Amino acid sequence: MTWTDLLQIPVWTGAGALLLFILMYLDSLSTKYHDFKEMKDGNIAVTIRFVMKLGAQAYILASSIGQATYMWEALVISLASFITLLIVEAIFRIIFGVIAGIQLDKGIHEGKIGYALIAGSLHIAGALIIGSV
């Protein structure tokens, strides 16, 4: 390990933290409720989904950092993965709504923890798949 490697740690960590904050803020805009307000008001279901999605995004970012030579590569991979997961989640929201009559956003907003676990597990599964590519 060189001094350059040691100096890269705070830079990569800072850039990763900033990207994760931006991605999670953008994700909060994609829901039919206000994530931060709901979490502040104590909605555990919203918090569970948010934390699971954050973990999934962090896993994708960590995987991309491990494979990338340059920081911008890792950030672009994470952004593309975020968009992919948003699309997959939207498709599953439709499928769950049509086939099973489960409205994930509505249930999560109402505090149904099971709905949050379903939505969060979609992100974790997607992150594991994306991270393996």
Side-chain angles (χ1 to χ4, degrees), residues 86-97:
L86 276 182
I87 293 167
V88 168
E89 183 181 26
I91 291 168
F92 271 93
R93 282 181 189 161
I94 293 166
I95 292 170
F96 273 86

Side-chain angles (χ1 to χ4, degrees), residues 51-68:
V51 168
M52 291 176 80
K53 176 127 188 191
L54 177 62
Q57 288 299 327
Y59 178 78
I60 291 169
L61 180 60
S63 297
S64 62
I65 287 172
Q67 296 174 3

Side-chain angles (χ1 to χ4, degrees), residues 34 36 80 95 111:
H34 302 284
F36 297 109
I95 292 170

Side-chain angles (χ1 to χ4, degrees), residues 13-124:
T13 303
L18 179 62
L19 178 68
L20 287 174
F21 176 80
I22 291 168
L23 293 179
M24 295 311 297
Y25 177 76
L26 292 174
D27 177 69
S28 74
L29 299 176
S30 74
T31 60
K32 294 179 182 173
Y33 46 86
H34 302 284
D35 287 12
F36 297 109
K37 180 184 180 314
E38 290 294 324
M39 287 188 285
K40 186 178 176 183
D41 291 344
N43 188 327
I44 299 298
V46 171
T47 304
I48 288 170
R49 180 205 168 269
F50 188 90
V51 168
M52 291 176 80
K53 176 127 188 191
L54 177 62
Q57 288 299 327
Y59 178 78
I60 291 169
L61 180 60
S63 297
S64 62
I65 287 172
Q67 296 174 3
T69 305
Y70 301 102
M71 185 184 309
W72 67 268
E73 290 175 334
L75 299 179
V76 168
I77 290 168
S78 291
L79 183 59
S81 300
F82 172 77
I83 293 167
T84 302
L85 285 178
L86 276 182
I87 293 167
V88 168
E89 183 181 26
I91 291 168
F92 271 93
R93 282 181 189 161
I94 293 166
I95 292 170
F96 273 86
V98 170
I99 294 176
I102 295 173
Q103 303 301 319
L104 289 176
D105 273 341
K106 183 176 181 237
I108 293 168
H109 184 240
E110 293 172 352
K112 295 180 179 176
I113 293 173
Y115 286 33
L117 292 171
I118 291 169
S121 66
L122 292 172
H123 293 288
I124 292 173

